[in-house]
Amino acid sequence: MKKICFIAYIVVSAPAMACTGITLKSKDNAVITARTVDWSGSKMDNIYVIVPRDYTEQSLLPNGTQDGMKFKSKYGFAGLGMQRPEFIVDGTNEAGLNVGLFYFPSFGKYESFNAKYKSETIADFQVVSWILSQFSTIDEVKHAIDSVRIVNIDPTASTVHWRITEPNGHQVVMEIIDGVPMFYENPVGVIANSPNFEWHMTNLNNYVNLYPGTAGPTPFGPIKLRSLSNGTGLRGLPGDFSSPSRFVRAAFFKTYSIPQKTATDTAMQSFHILNNFDVPFGTAYKVGTATFDMPSATQWTIATDTKNLKIYYHTMYNRTLRQIDMGKIDFDTIKFQYHPLDTIESETIMNAKINK
């Protein structure tokens, strides 16, 4: 129960919930989903989880029990999560379906918990696990979603919304508005936090004047105005860490990045793009009010190759990339397991070669 309450605390009182997601496609048609996980409230117990086929999970409920909906995994899957192995934040199953949750405060609304329907009720932080364990396509999720009741672990907690991506690149954002699941096509391959996804798409129109490259020279009466540096076509691109600004910035960076040849190159490219969204710890607090210290408010960053079933990640403690190669996992025989993202919380530093 202690862990359940802690998750509710994260969702309700988070001083910074600045997760940003992008999706890229390589020239060899591999789809890469990538995102940051940002939380400045405290250091989380960040983990990766391996789930075999035929593994049974049962949902936690707002009344503090773990006797909600049961589901047995049809597909094996792997993902990164926090605090409890049930709480997978971003994962991929052996069919290549990728699902991630993103905080969505003040705009979504789940239906109220009713113990009468506990056998079909699932906590929002376990929806990623449920989808990955049961489905291989977005249509399958759409057909099944009305058969479950998604609720908060704590009724006072924030809501989340979800990005769902097929290995062919088809992607939707799922939001629950007034208790009703809504699916939105995501042609730009970008997601952030509140407001709702449709608002973010409309807001992109406010930046119709931006373009890649350098502006000018522009006649200005008797003189010409010239750019003082390269890249002035994007002057006016918002640079703060608010959700609307991150969505716009991610959309422009992702859209105008040069497509890479291979899936691996594209995964590496996604990390370079997401470096722009690494939130310096302390920026969510007034000066002098942060009571602890971390290397970053961006606790981990993940990129997933949905074609070749490879998950890459690095953390705020160690930016050395690590890999989970799902192609080497036998999901029939592997045991359910989870491990910390960092075994040692320090950077891997290598000495440069210097000839004597």
Side-chain angles (χ1 to χ4, degrees), residues 71-91:
F71 51 97
K72 180 184 288 189
S73 55
K74 177 180 177 182
Y75 299 98
F77 59 95
L80 273 59
M82 61 182 188
Q83 303 304 124
R84 297 179 62 107
E86 298 97 328
F87 297 158
I88 293 181
V89 175
D90 201 288

Side-chain angles (χ1 to χ4, degrees), residues 1-294:
M1 184 62 182
K2 179 180 178 182
K3 292 289 188 181
I4 299 175
C5 293
F6 184 75
I7 289 297
Y9 168 78
I10 288 177
V11 180
V12 173
S13 59
M17 302 177 294
C19 302
T20 307
I22 59 174
T23 304
L24 303 175
K25 195 169 189 177
S26 65
K27 290 182 178 180
D28 63 358
N29 292 318
V31 173
I32 308 298
T33 61
R35 51 93 56 85
T36 63
V37 169
D38 306 283
W39 161 244
S40 68
S42 65
K43 173 195 167 186
M44 297 190 296
D45 293 331
N46 295 304
I47 56 178
Y48 66 89
V49 185
I50 309 296
V51 181
R53 298 187 198 108
D54 296 323
Y55 178 78
T56 299
E57 184 173 323
Q58 188 162 17
S59 181
L60 298 154
L61 293 177
N63 60 11
T65 66
Q66 194 167 359
D67 60 349
M69 186 178 78
K70 283 186 178 180
F71 51 97
K72 180 184 288 189
S73 55
K74 177 180 177 182
Y75 299 98
F77 59 95
L80 273 59
M82 61 182 188
Q83 303 304 124
R84 297 179 62 107
E86 298 97 328
F87 297 158
I88 293 181
V89 175
D90 201 288
T92 301
N93 69 18
E94 56 185 315
L97 190 71
N98 172 267
V99 186
L101 71 80
F102 294 74
Y103 282 109
F104 188 48
S106 304
F107 282 84
K109 184 180 180 181
Y110 308 140
E111 59 183 291
S112 299
F113 171 62
N114 186 335
K116 178 181 177 181
Y117 303 107
K118 67 179 183 179
S119 64
E120 59 195 64
T121 298
I122 185 170
D124 55 354
F125 269 77
Q126 291 176 261
V127 168
V128 172
S129 293
W130 173 64
I131 293 176
L132 293 177
S133 72
Q134 302 300 307
F135 310 113
S136 63
T137 69
I138 291 169
D139 282 344
E140 289 176 354
V141 178
K142 288 181 177 180
H143 290 150
I145 196 67
D146 289 334
S147 67
V148 300
R149 296 170 179 265
I150 299 173
V151 299
N152 292 103
I153 295 174
D154 182 333
T156 65
S158 168
T159 55
V160 299
H161 58 177
W162 296 265
R163 174 183 69 181
I164 310 173
T165 311
E166 294 178 352
N168 61 11
H170 181 207
Q171 183 177 102
V172 297
V173 173
M174 183 177 79
E175 298 175 344
I176 299 180
I177 309 296
D178 292 327
V180 180
M182 308 291 289
F183 292 86
Y184 304 99
E185 296 293 323
N186 189 356
V188 297
V190 173
I191 187 172
N193 310 107
S194 300
N196 58 291
F197 181 74
E198 286 190 317
W199 184 96
H200 283 295
M201 291 296 291
T202 301
N203 185 52
L204 280 176
N205 292 286
N206 285 319
Y207 300 90
V208 66
N209 59 299
L210 302 186
Y211 57 91
T214 303
T218 303
F220 188 74
I223 66 172
K224 285 188 176 181
L225 302 181
R226 301 180 184 276
S227 293
L228 298 177
S229 67
N230 294 327
T232 50
L234 290 179
R235 185 170 175 81
L237 190 71
D240 62 87
F241 289 111
S242 67
S243 179
S245 293
R246 286 182 287 105
F247 189 99
V248 172
R249 198 158 69 252
F252 274 84
F253 291 165
K254 176 260 178 183
T255 298
Y256 293 121
S257 62
I258 298 173
Q260 302 297 299
K261 291 182 180 180
T262 69
T264 302
D265 291 339
T266 305
M268 299 307 105
Q269 181 188 38
S270 71
F271 283 106
H272 287 295
I273 293 172
L274 290 176
N275 283 341
N276 293 277
F277 301 89
D278 196 343
V279 180
F281 182 74
T283 56
Y285 296 87
K286 292 182 179 180
V287 175
T289 61
T291 58
F292 59 98
D293 190 18
M294 293 189 301

